[in-house]
Amino acid sequence: MQALKYARASSVDEAVQMLRDGGPNAKVLAGGTDIIVLARERRRKVELFVDIKHIAEVMALEYDATKGLTVGSATPLYRVYNDANILKHFPALTQSAHVIGGTAIQGRASLGGNLANSGPAGDSITAMMALNGTALIAGPGGRREVKIDEFCTGPGQNVLQAGEFIVSLHFPHPAAHSGSAWERFIPRNEMDIAVANSGTYLVLDGDVVTEARIALGAVGPKVFMVPVDSLVGKPLTDETIAAAGQAAKATATPIDDMRGSIKQRLHLSDILTQRTIRAAAERARA
Amino acid sequence: MTTTNSTHFVLSANINGERLEFLADERDSLLEALRERAGIRGPKEGCNNGNCGACSVLIEGVLVNSCLVMAAECQDANITTVEGLASPEGLSPLQQCFLEEAALQCGICTPGFLVASTALLEENPHPTEEEARFWLAGNLCRCTGYDKIIRAVLKAADQKDA
Ligand SMILES: Cc1cc2nc3c(=O)[nH]c(=O)nc-3n(C[C@H](O)[C@H](O)[C@H](O)COP(=O)(O)OP(=O)(O)OC[C@H]3O[C@@H](n4cnc5c(N)ncnc54)[C@H](O)[C@@H]3O)c2cc1C
Ligand code: FES
Ligand code: FES
């Protein structure tokens, strides 16, 4: 490991101060499942780890039937997928949190770390985008909110400015007659990076879709939202679901790599979109 | 404050129920601190990047890869390694089942599997085979083909009924 120092922040303000004083080589340490590997393999220069796990707000998990859900940015994934309210009202989040790495990774890894890492295949990110999440960011200039679907700007790139970090993630309470679902495709059953992933949230009025949010990952340089014109205001039928799958495929700009080809990823964009729509609709009707 | 040289610090933690204090480096992972500073060599280094589970330990009862935790994060933590599973009276029931079912060959993965399976049975005393395999997916074994390990874990779970 490269020479580095460790500091424990006890408040949001102290973390901001440490990050600002530490400069560009001061890095937030949440679960460490990405950054410790990157630092050890010297793919990132790190001089200071700022541990944010001793700040109450950053480790929170609060559900309220009107206000919705707030998850601290460093709250470990096992707490997310073990939470009964999240399973009931935000199942897409449960599904994605449960497959990131294995059990020991989930003992540390966090939603904030997955988002800040901003990988095009970040599994929880598409679930959080579908659920219309917002990131609460603190920095030298105070606090601001950024919608999660606008957070990632490119592979490994995002809207965070120098000295800023994510405090928590907020999700509005889902509407009545709504449902959400998330799925990914990987060559093995667990412990691998997605070839494609998809998160969907939709609201039904009888058979008609009144709102839909569909996000795709690993099929472009960053995660993105799929246009939903073919679905919203229309009855949910095999035809409208197929049209949404086509819209997903038309928006995807995947690459060939060792995990999958362009052709396979385009196909998966279509198929996973259709599957998460169907699964979300089933939950909306339940 | 200089930021180019790492420094030593006193790590004070409860390890396997015993309060230990020893010098570690700020750049040490928990795995390195346990093995090289404290002489606790049960946790193994397989991959050093979170993929194999040989370094599995419990922190506050939660299963983690000790290669992905900084030692400095563990000030005052409660840590359990494979050394903490047996009691003076003998092996834990799970360890006994690993022996009876021949759930190990070279043994490098065994401390990790024992710690991870202990955490599983704590969380879910009667897992299905699928649940056990899913929980242990982050632990790799190059020798046994996994079936014997799963058999040992399910046997230990069965014995909890008795
Ligand atoms: C074996 C293995 C398997 C994995 N499998 C998956 C998988 O299936 N799917 C997947 O998506 N990922 C996977 N990952 C990657 C990783 O576990 C996830 O991205 C995880 O969510 C990162 O969270 P963390 O808390 O550990 O982040 P950290 O490693 O602590 O941080 C990640 C990055 O974000 C920054 N950061 C962290 N928190 C904040 C914050 N609150 N504000 C600002 N910046 C912050 C850090 O400085 C760092 O640059 C895997 C990793 C390993 C080692
Ligand atoms: S050595 Fe830690 S997971 Fe392999
Ligand atoms: S017994 Fe050899 S790796 Fe598992």
Side-chain angles (χ1 to χ4, degrees), chain B residues 104-110 140-144:
Chain B
L104 62 148
Q105 288 177 34
C106 79
I108 190 102
C109 69
T110 312
L140 302 186
C141 175
R142 299 285 287 179
C143 303
T144 65

Side-chain angles (χ1 to χ4, degrees), chain A:
Chain A
M1 179 64 84
Q2 53 191 292
L4 52 79
K5 293 198 170 289
Y6 166 90
R8 191 179 273 192
S10 53
S11 69
V12 169
D13 289 347
E14 195 184 11
V16 168
Q17 185 77 39
M18 286 171 168
L19 289 169
R20 194 175 50 184
D21 293 350
N25 297 329
K27 302 285 182 210
V28 172
L29 179 64
T33 62
D34 277 315
I35 193 67
I36 292 176
V37 178
L38 292 171
R40 181 178 293 136
E41 295 174 357
R42 291 176 193 266
R43 287 190 279 153
R44 282 283 188 298
K45 176 107 187 83
V46 180
E47 287 173 354
L48 175 70
F49 273 141
V50 176
D51 187 351
I52 56 172
K53 292 189 294 298
H54 295 265
I55 307 170
E57 241 185 306
V58 168
M59 299 301 283
L61 203 168
E62 282 159 29
Y63 168 79
D64 182 287
T66 49
K67 285 190 231 147
L69 175 70
T70 302
V71 184
S73 64
T75 301
L77 297 177
Y78 80 92
R79 283 182 56 202
V80 173
Y81 67 68
N82 280 334
D83 188 273
N85 285 316
I86 298 181
L87 177 63
K88 186 164 177 208
H89 303 290
F90 306 89
L93 200 54
T94 309
Q95 287 180 293
S96 69
H98 210 172
V99 298
I100 293 181
T103 318
I105 297 288
Q106 294 150 9
R108 298 296 271 190
S110 64
L111 296 178
N114 201 225
L115 180 60
N117 207 44
S118 301
D123 280 319
S124 71
I125 308 179
T126 43
M128 294 194 283
M129 288 163 72
L131 292 165
N132 202 13
T134 307
L136 174 63
I137 296 168
R143 293 188 173 209
R144 65 184 178 116
E145 289 182 355
V146 173
K147 289 197 61 190
I148 295 177
D149 59 19
E150 292 168 355
F151 186 91
C152 300
T153 52
Q157 289 165 335
N158 58 50
V159 300
L160 288 179
Q161 304 287 314
E164 284 190 325
F165 79 105
I166 309 163
V167 176
S168 59
L169 306 149
H170 179 75
F171 305 91
H173 201 284
H177 312 294
S178 70
S180 71
W182 182 90
E183 268 197 45
R184 73 174 177 181
F185 180 84
I186 56 170
R188 349 174 5 202
N189 285 329
E190 59 279 300
M191 296 288 290
D192 206 347
I193 294 171
V195 180
N197 67 36
S198 165
T200 291
Y201 165 82
L202 52 79
V203 188
L204 293 179
D205 179 3
D207 266 344
V208 177
V209 180
T210 57
E211 194 190 334
R213 297 182 56 84
I214 304 173
L216 279 182
V219 292
K222 60 183 178 107
V223 288
F224 61 89
M225 299 297 293
V226 173
V228 291
D229 322 329
S230 54
L231 211 52
V232 175
K234 308 217 168 68
L236 195 66
T237 63
D238 287 349
E239 288 69 37
T240 53
I241 294 172
Q246 286 305 313
K249 193 171 171 176
T251 335
T253 52
I255 54 163
D256 276 320
D257 68 11
M258 64 181 194
R259 289 196 173 76
S261 64
I262 291 176
K263 191 172 166 220
Q264 183 190 23
R265 286 192 156 102
L266 288 174
H267 180 65
L268 286 168
S269 302
D270 174 10
I271 298 301
L272 290 183
T273 298
Q274 295 203 43
R275 282 193 195 163
T276 53
I277 291 172
R278 286 182 196 280
E282 200 169 302
R283 288 176 178 153
R285 292 193 182 105

Side-chain angles (χ1 to χ4, degrees), chain B residues 9-28:
Chain B
F9 70 103
V10 177
L11 179 61
S12 172
N14 290 315
I15 304 180
N16 301 321
E18 200 183 337
R19 188 79 183 176
L20 293 184
E21 288 195 353
F22 52 95
L23 276 181
D25 191 297
E26 262 180 284
R27 77 178 101 176
D28 286 348

